[in-house]
Amino acid sequence: MRLSAKIFLCTITVIAIALSMMGYLMIGGSFENAIAREQQRGLEEYQLLKFSLQSGMLSAYEGGTLTRESLLALAMQNAEAAPSGDMTAVFDEEGIAVFSTFPENYIYRGLYEADDTGLLYFIEEYEDRFLFVVTSSFSQSDMKVSFYVAKDITTVMTEKKQMVSGFVLIYIVVLLISSGILFAFSQILTNPIRKLMRMSRRISKGKYDERVEIRGQDEIGELAESFNRMAITVEDKMNELTLNAQQKEDFVGNFAHELKTPLTSVIGYADMIYQKELPKEKVHEAAGYIVNEGMRLEALAHKMMELIVMNRTDFMLIEMRADELLKDVEDTLMPMMQQKGIALSVSADRAYIRIEFDLFKTLLLNIADNASKADSTQITISGTYSMGKYRIRIIDNGRGMPEEQLNRITEAFYMIDKSRSRKQHGAGLGLAIAKKIADIHGTELQFRSSIGAGTTVQVELPAVLAEDDDEA
């Protein structure tokens, strides 16, 4: 059963019960009061008629004329004095009627059941009338008689029936009107809940941006507010899941891009061995580089997967010479820079830094790769030590970037010049990965750039001077 129907039925039931009780109490109370008044009036009339009959019998007895005939005359006189509509009867001690104004077929109940000190009275229905009957027996001047009086109270009973009929009519009209009003109210009260139901069905079908608009500070308003908060949370979670799925999908499709720079160097050294006659030492050096770089790329593939897909951040940092790191970066970049006709210059102070070698080298290669795509003709990589800090700067003389876009270039898939980046096989992942690697090392990427004046990227790490160097 729907909530609106439950509200309607429960409320109309309460109203029906309340109206019934009210009618019962009002009509019952009014009827009882009317009956009590008629009984009091009937008893008073009975006492007056009885007193008149006793007085007449006493006078006749003192005059020596109290006989059955005189009792008949007194009873007839008493009946004439009775109020209009009242019926009287007098019986001798044998229960034989001396005089009676009752119909012949009337059955006298309670005759001689009351003693000399009490009255017997009751209400009975006779034919189409209701009678209030009072009777008692008494002895007067050695004669025992029974006096019987009936007062017609049909009017009171008729009024009760009219009151009941009127109440039933009013009861039905009030219930019908109340039913219409309650039905409308139940629909109004449950309308917000129906809105919530419709909205929940729309959200279940994927429309996560839907919200329910319900005004009010009652419980339904609070429920709507809670529902909207839940919908916002669901939408955020779905957007997060969609974004994560898209990022992982794009990562798989573009992961090869992250390996392009070191693979270019490997191919360059391999081509050098294949096409040129080199001294044995140079061949050995190039082959060793290819082997070392291949092993590093194998390890890097797993680390990049853990970094990007699994969001791992607890990589082990080891201490190593910064100048050796930059020399390794120079060797990796040189074939690609020569292929593009870019002059590469590397200088480094000797100091110790703590890094994850494969990831940090990837960070520097990504920044240098971005610099090579900015129409640069010269790239400078420098490492300087100062007051316990080691600053690595990668400076190019390329086209630069607008200052207002510097805060967004580390966002995943963000590309300033999308058409140029696509032509150069860019995916916008390089600096996003570089930022993650910087976070792992407890540092950040700092950018300074302007249109036509190139770009400078700086990363700073805690460092210790090598023992054979002077203090900076």
Side-chain angles (χ1 to χ4, degrees):
M1 184 181 293
R2 301 183 68 85
L3 179 60
S4 58
K6 291 181 180 179
I7 294 175
F8 172 77
L9 291 177
C10 291
T11 309
I12 201 67
T13 300
V14 171
I15 292 177
I17 294 175
L19 286 175
S20 300
M21 293 181 63
M22 181 183 69
Y24 173 78
L25 294 175
M26 290 182 62
I27 295 175
S30 177
F31 175 71
E32 288 179 0
N33 290 335
I35 288 296
R37 287 194 301 270
E38 292 297 325
Q39 287 179 342
Q40 182 65 31
R41 188 178 303 148
L43 291 174
E44 291 176 354
E45 291 174 358
Y46 179 84
Q47 293 291 357
L48 289 174
L49 292 174
K50 178 183 177 183
F51 178 76
S52 175
L53 179 62
Q54 286 180 312
S55 297
M57 291 176 65
L58 180 62
S59 299
Y61 177 76
E62 291 177 351
T65 59
L66 183 57
T67 61
R68 185 178 181 85
E69 288 75 14
S70 61
L71 181 60
L72 173 60
L74 290 173
M76 293 177 61
Q77 183 180 357
N78 192 268
E80 292 177 358
S84 177
D86 287 5
M87 296 180 291
T88 63
V90 177
F91 298 87
D92 59 18
E93 59 183 354
E94 297 179 357
I96 299 174
V98 177
F99 175 80
S100 175
T101 59
F102 284 85
E104 293 183 0
N105 60 348
Y106 181 80
I107 299 175
Y108 300 93
R109 294 192 302 113
L111 195 62
Y112 283 106
E113 292 182 6
D115 55 23
D116 292 344
T117 61
L119 297 175
L120 177 65
Y121 55 91
F122 52 88
I123 296 174
E124 67 175 358
E125 184 177 4
Y126 175 72
E127 295 181 349
D128 294 332
R129 296 184 296 170
F130 288 89
L131 303 177
F132 176 65
V133 179
V134 184
T135 180
S136 67
S137 57
F138 60 90
S139 297
Q140 183 66 48
S141 304
D142 297 330
M143 182 179 287
K144 185 174 182 180
V145 297
S146 178
F147 188 44
Y148 207 94
V149 178
K151 180 177 179 60
D152 191 345
I153 58 172
T154 304
T155 303
V156 176
M157 295 298 183
T158 303
E159 289 178 355
K160 178 184 177 182
K161 290 181 179 180
Q162 292 175 348
M163 290 177 64
V164 171
S165 300
F167 174 77
V168 170
L169 178 60
I170 295 174
Y171 179 83
I172 294 173
V173 172
V174 170
L175 278 185
L176 290 176
I177 296 175
S178 300
S179 298
I181 296 174
L182 287 174
F183 180 78
F185 280 170
S186 64
Q187 295 298 313
I188 294 173
L189 289 174
T190 57
N191 185 53
I193 298 178
R194 289 194 295 274
K195 287 184 179 180
L196 287 174
M197 292 173 59
R198 290 194 296 269
M199 196 61 61
S200 64
R201 287 194 290 267
R202 293 171 67 88
I203 291 177
S204 67
K205 294 178 180 178
K207 298 181 179 180
Y208 302 110
D209 59 339
E210 297 283 351
R211 299 291 181 271
V212 60
E213 295 183 4
I214 296 179
R215 298 176 181 177
Q217 302 298 323
D218 55 5
E219 289 81 356
I220 295 180
E222 294 176 359
L223 176 61
E225 185 178 351
S226 300
F227 181 88
N228 285 338
R229 285 199 299 267
M230 179 196 69
I232 292 172
T233 302
V234 170
E235 182 182 13
D236 291 342
K237 290 297 182 183
M238 291 305 299
N239 290 338
E240 182 180 346
L241 291 174
T242 302
L243 178 61
N244 289 341
Q246 184 65 41
Q247 287 178 339
K248 292 175 183 179
E249 181 180 345
D250 290 339
F251 169 77
V252 173
N254 294 282
F255 182 69
H257 166 73
E258 303 305 322
L259 307 178
K260 181 179 179 181
T261 300
L263 285 177
T264 300
S265 299
V266 170
I267 293 172
Y269 281 108
D271 185 65
M272 184 188 304
I273 296 173
Y274 180 73
Q275 295 191 20
K276 296 181 180 180
E277 292 292 336
L278 299 174
K280 185 177 181 180
E281 293 78 8
K282 288 290 185 182
V283 173
H284 185 271
E285 181 181 346
Y289 177 83
I290 292 172
V291 172
N292 290 334
E293 197 65 15
M295 295 175 64
R296 190 186 73 81
L297 290 178
E298 181 183 11
L300 178 63
H302 295 289
K303 293 175 183 177
M304 292 291 287
M305 188 68 68
E306 292 176 344
L307 172 66
I308 298 175
V309 178
M310 301 176 64
N311 288 320
R312 179 181 171 188
T313 59
D314 57 341
F315 292 92
M316 181 179 294
L317 307 182
I318 61 173
E319 190 176 83
M320 70 171 298
R321 287 264 294 272
D323 53 316
E324 294 177 354
L325 167 68
L326 296 184
K327 180 63 173 63
D328 192 277
V329 171
E330 180 183 13
D331 293 339
T332 303
L333 290 173
M334 190 59 70
M336 182 184 70
M337 297 302 174
Q338 290 177 349
Q339 182 181 0
K340 293 183 177 183
I342 300 174
L344 177 64
S345 174
V346 179
S347 63
D349 293 344
R350 298 177 65 186
Y352 287 97
I353 57 177
R354 293 181 62 83
I355 61 172
E356 207 297 322
F357 175 76
D358 293 328
L359 293 180
F360 200 79
K361 181 178 178 180
T362 299
L363 179 151
L364 298 178
L365 292 179
N366 271 319
I367 296 174
D369 181 60
N370 280 348
S372 71
K373 296 175 181 177
D375 299 334
S376 302
T377 60
Q378 182 177 352
I379 297 176
T380 300
I381 302 177
S382 64
T384 58
Y385 174 86
S386 176
M387 301 178 64
K389 299 290 184 182
Y390 198 87
R391 297 177 182 86
I392 301 175
R393 292 187 180 92
I394 301 178
I395 306 171
D396 67 68
N397 62 349
R399 59 181 177 275
M401 295 177 289
E403 185 175 353
E404 62 272 11
Q405 293 184 338
L406 293 180
N407 293 331
R408 297 195 60 193
I409 58 177
T410 57
E411 296 178 10
F413 314 111
Y414 181 78
M415 294 174 285
I416 295 176
D417 189 343
K418 293 180 174 57
S419 61
R420 184 187 299 268
S421 297
R422 294 303 181 193
K423 290 178 181 179
Q424 295 172 339
H425 307 289
L429 284 169
L431 289 179
I433 295 174
K435 181 180 183 300
K436 283 192 173 186
I437 296 174
D439 292 339
I440 290 172
H441 289 80
T443 186
E444 60 182 10
L445 301 177
Q446 302 174 20
F447 297 89
R448 186 172 68 253
S449 183
S450 58
I451 298 297
T455 301
T456 298
V457 183
Q458 175 178 295
V459 61
E460 188 177 272
L461 295 169
V464 177
L465 270 180
E467 294 181 356
D468 52 350
D469 281 352
D470 297 331
E471 292 293 334

